[in-house]
Amino acid sequence: MIVGAGASGAAVAWRLAQAGFSVVCLEQGRWINPSLYPTDDKNWEILGRHEWNWDPNKRGNPEDYPVNDAESDISPLMFAAVGGSTIHWTAHTPRFHPSDFRVKSLDGVADDWPITYDDLDTYYDMNDMMMGCSGINGDPAVPPRSPRPMPPIPLGKDGAHMAAAFERLGWHWWPSDNYMNSMPYKGRDACNYCGRVGFGCTRKAKSSTDVNYWPEAVRLGAVVKTHARVSEITVGANGRATGANYFDRAGNAKHQAARSVVMAGNGIGTPRLLLMSKSDAHPDGLLNSSGLVGKNLMFHPYSITTGLIPDLSETWQGPMGNILMSQEFYETDPKRDFVRGYAYQMNRGTGPLGTALGGAHEPVTWGAGHHEDFSERFGHNVVLAGIGEDLPEEHNTVTLDDRLTDSNGLPAPKINYTLSENSRRLMDHSVKSATTVLREAGATRVMANPLLRSGGWHLMGTARMGDDPERSVVDQWCQSHDADNVFVVDGSVFVTAGAVNPTPTLQAIALRAADYIVHERDDLKG
Amino acid sequence: MPTSDRQLTDVDRVVMKRILDLIIPAVDDLPGAGGLGLAERVERGSMRYGRLRSGMLSILDAMTLDIASRVEGGFAALDEERQIASVKTVEADLPVQFSEFVELVYETYYTDSRVHERIGWVGRPPQPEGFDIGSWDPSILENARKREPFWRKVE
Ligand SMILES: Cc1cc2nc3c(=O)[nH]c(=O)nc-3n(C[C@H](O)[C@H](O)[C@H](O)COP(=O)(O)OP(=O)(O)OC[C@H]3O[C@@H](n4cnc5c(N)ncnc54)[C@H](O)[C@@H]3O)c2cc1C
Ligand code: SF4
């Protein structure tokens, strides 16, 4: 049984169903028909801010659980559906670097992972084929790798303009790897560069697991139970999982029996459910003998630096992101006042309303000066988003809120997260360097936000992997130390965060865990 | 804190139209947001999204009730300079509600087809047509490819 039908749950379901395992997935959300996405509605910008908002607290669908983020510097973002947060994601998909798995050995901070880049290489490739990767080999910032199944997305005039600015400074840039179709792929249309990747793709040109892994897994016999909100993983007297209690759409309490449980509820949903699953065998919550469930929460802090470049026009034409990235400042440099590093992703401008509301910056001024401010921004704005490596700290936590509840009355997660001094310095550096590039590109005005509060896209670290049961929740195969038939396969298992978007890595880890189950845990086949 | 089911009065509507013109003034041959007749759409938009409605009502209460208690004839009787000053006072006193109200006004104004035409927006949703951004040109990587690999090796 899998809890959660998002990025990681889908990958595991496919692999296990392919190997003849009997798979059932409980998902609190529903299947979404891509024709419902707002991008072909004349009110698309308004719908994107409300009904399709990235923030579950603002969207407030009954299938979302609310999150108490009042004591967090960053608000977590996620989606509840078959496809999980990949419904909304922008599908920027670089891989971790080999060094990301060895930060303790290399830089003396945090911990090394119990696995290496090489352990994941095959699974990265497998995932790129299933999800559909566009990109090109030859990037000097990353190790050599197998070719992507599709060529890169065109850079557009603005992308080429920014690439030239990076080059004049002698700084690295490379076309972004992404899971958008630069050509028709596996029965899905090519992207037509409509731009609004983060609102869901009506053409299915953006990969989300409801249009690739899940249809395959279902064809192979996997069953997805939607509107099934799991309230507790049940255990027997021996402490091993026996299944899950859940609420169906009508609010009826039900039980799903299972030989094993795979947790794939994401870096917040998984620790929440583990903490809700208290029993005599696991008095502090399931898998929590180390006390680390819900601790070491990492986001990637994001800085947003926007340049207004009069030489560019109509920067709202083309995909919002997935243009190019720079990894010039990725690795630790002892000359800087922080360890580890950050990457840049270039983003484009937005539609009229998005521009007026300012995005990561102050809205366009009201009153006199309104129209000048708007026309300076609209169609001329180019963004460099700095994505920084967050290091694990035990005081950054997911716990259970003692008042706020979801629509079934279950406790909502509460987030306590403070940006570290290292991350703050790193973000400040990213703003400074981004300003240099944007000025080089001809920006006449630069707006900077050194920490995007509404940027909690990446949820990691809250049930970390490791060899030592006292310092970790699962082992290198994602099998828990406390109950050998419970696995955690989502971003919760990350030991450190790297400075790139996490999903290809977490899906590769999930596929590797599934392979382990297939080859080593025949006893779980039912 | 106003309840979000309070209905707008005629006085509210007059004040709202004027505030809309102050928030987004006329430009070229386009009237301001009030003159464009957007007050009614702002009101309708607020019915849909409760969070924004309570922001709008707080601002209208502040403009109509508070100022009426201090100035004879209320907000409408002030000259433009003093109207702007009083909007700024309300903005300073109720920053969250004011920014929610501005959000609602911008949502209405920047989804209006007359505004789209003036600013040069395509005037259609992004789908189904999408945009043309040219094709992928591998020669753009000529320089970037020359750099030696610089990723950090590990044992
Ligand atoms: C707007 C946005 C943009 C993003 N852009 C990128 C990007 O460009 N690149 C990138 O790498 N990543 C991106 N991400 C992050 C990416 O979406 C996540 O890393 C990825 O989806 C995580 O996969 P997951 O399986 O851990 O969880 P999710 O995909 O979040 O899926 C978890 C699922 O579990 C379900 N669930 C949770 N609790 C329960 C319960 N108790 N009972 C039943 N079901 C439950 C949820 O409903 C959900 O469907 C983005 C995310 C967002 C929100
Ligand atoms: S830009 Fe392409 S992938 Fe993104 S939503 Fe539009 S068509 Fe889909």
Side-chain angles (χ1 to χ4, degrees):
Chain A
M1 183 192 79
I2 299 170
V3 181
S8 58
V12 169
W14 167 74
R15 186 68 191 98
L16 293 182
Q18 196 185 45
F21 279 68
S22 144
V23 175
V24 59
C25 175
L26 302 185
E27 166 56 53
Q28 63 188 350
R30 61 196 155 117
W31 285 96
I32 295 187
N33 180 340
S35 69
L36 294 177
Y37 295 134
T39 46
D40 55 5
D41 189 299
K42 73 176 170 38
N43 283 327
W44 62 281
E45 283 200 281
I46 294 184
L47 293 168
R49 296 184 51 73
H50 298 281
E51 285 86 340
W52 294 91
N53 197 296
W54 291 348
D55 185 336
N57 290 342
K58 295 198 174 136
R59 203 168 52 227
N61 291 341
E63 57 262 42
D64 291 316
Y65 51 78
V67 181
N68 179 350
D69 59 8
E71 288 173 39
S72 175
D73 288 342
I74 296 178
S75 297
L77 308 173
M78 64 185 89
F79 200 78
V82 178
S85 305
T86 66
I87 296 292
H88 259 169
W89 76 329
T90 47
H92 191 250
T93 56
R95 295 179 177 187
F96 269 35
H97 288 206
S99 64
D100 290 329
F101 298 89
R102 288 288 172 272
V103 301
K104 176 91 172 171
S105 308
L106 293 171
D107 296 320
V109 289
D111 278 304
D112 289 348
W113 292 55
I115 56 174
T116 65
Y117 178 89
D118 291 340
D119 291 326
L120 291 184
D121 203 11
T122 322
Y123 298 102
Y124 273 129
D125 285 352
M126 195 187 283
N127 194 57
D128 280 357
M129 298 306 288
M130 282 301 288
M131 296 290 283
C133 185
S134 296
I136 191 162
N137 282 30
D139 184 353
V142 298
R145 48 154 294 171
S146 59
R148 288 83 172 160
M150 290 176 276
I153 300 286
L155 288 181
K157 283 195 191 108
D158 43 10
H161 185 88
M162 290 304 296
F166 275 105
E167 269 180 22
R168 285 196 298 279
L169 292 167
W171 289 359
H172 168 260
W173 76 274
W174 198 258
S176 285
D177 274 340
N178 59 77
Y179 291 166
M180 279 163 52
N181 290 355
S182 59
M183 53 189 256
Y185 186 73
K186 294 199 172 177
R188 293 186 287 114
D189 272 342
C191 171
N192 67 0
Y193 311 125
C194 82
R196 306 324 313 160
V197 188
F199 292 166
C201 183
T202 51
R203 297 169 67 81
K204 302 187 195 172
K206 177 187 81 171
S207 199
S208 46
T209 58
D210 58 322
V211 299
N212 46 46
Y213 275 115
W214 276 118
E216 270 300 291
V218 168
R219 192 182 61 76
L220 293 163
V223 173
V224 187
K225 289 192 180 174
T226 54
H227 295 287
R229 175 172 278 144
V230 179
S231 54
E232 181 185 9
I233 306 298
T234 52
V235 296
N238 57 4
R240 296 181 87 233
T242 54
N245 291 332
Y246 68 96
F247 291 102
D248 71 9
R249 187 177 199 166
N252 301 312
K254 300 227 164 135
H255 182 74
Q256 173 72 50
R259 273 178 199 226
S260 74
V261 173
V262 176
M263 303 289 298
N266 83 31
I268 288 181
T270 287
R272 174 197 185 217
L273 183 50
L274 292 174
L275 292 172
M276 287 197 295
S277 303
K278 287 192 175 131
S279 62
D280 288 346
H282 304 281
D284 299 321
L286 187 59
L287 317 186
N288 201 15
S289 65
S290 64
L292 289 175
V293 168
K295 295 199 173 139
N296 295 304
L297 171 68
M298 294 173 282
F299 296 107
H300 284 124
Y302 267 83
S303 68
I304 302 291
T305 314
T306 300
L308 309 183
I309 304 178
D311 286 351
L312 293 175
S313 59
E314 301 186 337
T315 56
W316 34 264
Q317 296 216 22
M320 180 188 83
N322 299 338
I323 310 157
L324 60 81
M325 72 180 303
S326 171
Q327 306 203 44
E328 185 65 31
F329 303 101
Y330 196 91
E331 302 286 0
T332 297
D333 180 343
K335 292 198 284 298
R336 300 189 199 120
D337 63 353
F338 54 86
V339 280
R340 308 301 297 157
Y342 60 90
Y344 288 123
Q345 296 166 222
M346 175 190 158
N347 287 344
R348 294 196 159 89
T350 52
L353 176 60
T355 305
L357 291 172
H361 308 291
E362 285 295 309
V364 165
T365 182
W366 65 269
H370 176 85
H371 297 291
E372 290 72 19
D373 190 6
F374 180 84
S375 54
E376 197 181 0
R377 300 190 200 195
F378 186 57
H380 305 292
N381 43 356
V382 164
V383 175
L384 288 179
I387 163 174
E389 174 158 356
D390 209 2
L391 292 168
E393 293 175 294
E394 281 197 21
H395 60 83
N396 289 330
T397 56
V398 178
T399 53
L400 299 180
D401 198 84
D402 47 19
R403 274 200 297 266
L404 191 65
T405 58
D406 66 20
S407 55
N408 292 111
L410 301 172
K414 177 172 195 277
I415 311 300
N416 286 79
Y417 174 89
T418 315
L419 190 76
S420 72
E421 188 51 36
N422 190 66
S423 294
R424 197 172 295 284
R425 288 184 188 161
L426 194 147
M427 289 286 95
D428 287 347
H429 194 277
S430 74
V431 167
K432 237 164 97 186
S433 308
T435 305
T436 305
V437 189
L438 290 163
R439 291 279 183 211
E440 177 63 34
T444 48
R445 182 172 150 201
V446 173
M447 301 182 288
N449 178 347
L451 178 66
L452 180 66
R453 181 179 165 85
S454 56
W457 296 286
H458 307 152
L459 314 170
M460 299 162 288
T462 46
R464 68 207 310 238
M465 62 160 66
D467 296 328
D468 179 356
E470 288 185 6
R471 295 290 311 137
S472 57
V473 177
V474 297
D475 68 13
Q476 62 154 309
W477 305 105
C478 298
Q479 178 176 306
S480 77
H481 295 303
D482 292 359
D484 75 355
N485 67 343
V486 182
F487 295 77
V488 180
V489 297
D490 55 37
S492 309
V493 305
F494 279 34
V495 180
T496 55
V500 288
N501 318 59
T503 309
T505 303
L506 70 83
Q507 287 184 301
I509 290 170
L511 288 170
R512 183 171 180 270
D515 249 12
Y516 170 79
I517 297 173
V518 168
H519 296 301
E520 306 294 332
R521 296 299 305 270
D522 213 38
D523 58 309
L524 303 180
K525 201 168 189 170
Chain B
M1 178 59 81
T3 60
S4 48
D5 53 6
R6 166 166 106 63
Q7 297 305 307
L8 260 57
T9 63
D10 289 346
V11 176
D12 284 330
R13 293 198 173 95
V14 170
V15 170
M16 173 123 93
K17 179 169 184 286
R18 182 65 195 130
I19 302 176
L20 293 193
D21 278 336
L22 295 176
I23 289 179
I24 307 187
V27 59
D28 304 335
D29 52 0
L30 206 62
L36 274 175
L38 297 183
E40 200 192 322
R41 272 189 57 208
V42 169
E43 193 180 339
R44 259 188 285 130
S46 77
M47 306 292 264
R48 199 156 160 190
Y49 303 115
R51 176 177 65 89
L52 299 183
R53 182 165 180 83
S54 75
M56 179 189 80
L57 292 173
S58 302
I59 298 309
L60 288 176
D61 282 354
M63 303 306 303
T64 50
L65 305 176
D66 295 1
I67 294 173
S69 67
R70 283 186 276 119
V71 182
E72 201 177 333
F75 181 73
L78 300 174
D79 62 25
E80 177 160 328
E81 205 174 311
R82 291 176 66 207
Q83 282 182 337
I84 293 172
S86 58
V87 175
K88 285 192 169 150
T89 306
V90 171
E91 180 182 24
D93 289 349
L94 300 171
V96 174
Q97 292 89 334
F98 189 81
S99 74
E100 283 169 358
F101 181 58
V102 169
E103 189 179 333
L104 188 56
V105 175
Y106 286 8
E107 278 192 2
T108 311
Y109 185 83
Y110 282 104
T111 51
D112 188 277
S113 54
R114 293 161 295 181
V115 175
H116 285 174
E117 198 177 325
R118 192 193 82 77
I119 62 176
W121 170 252
V122 281
R124 60 165 172 85
Q127 288 292 359
E129 280 138 279
F131 296 110
D132 179 6
I133 57 166
S135 48
W136 165 247
D137 172 10
S139 70
I140 194 158
L141 286 175
E142 201 183 320
N143 286 333
R145 280 189 188 285
K146 288 184 188 145
R147 185 158 173 184
E148 288 297 312
F150 64 100
W151 52 280
R152 200 170 171 194
K153 310 271 185 314
V154 296
E155 308 287 276

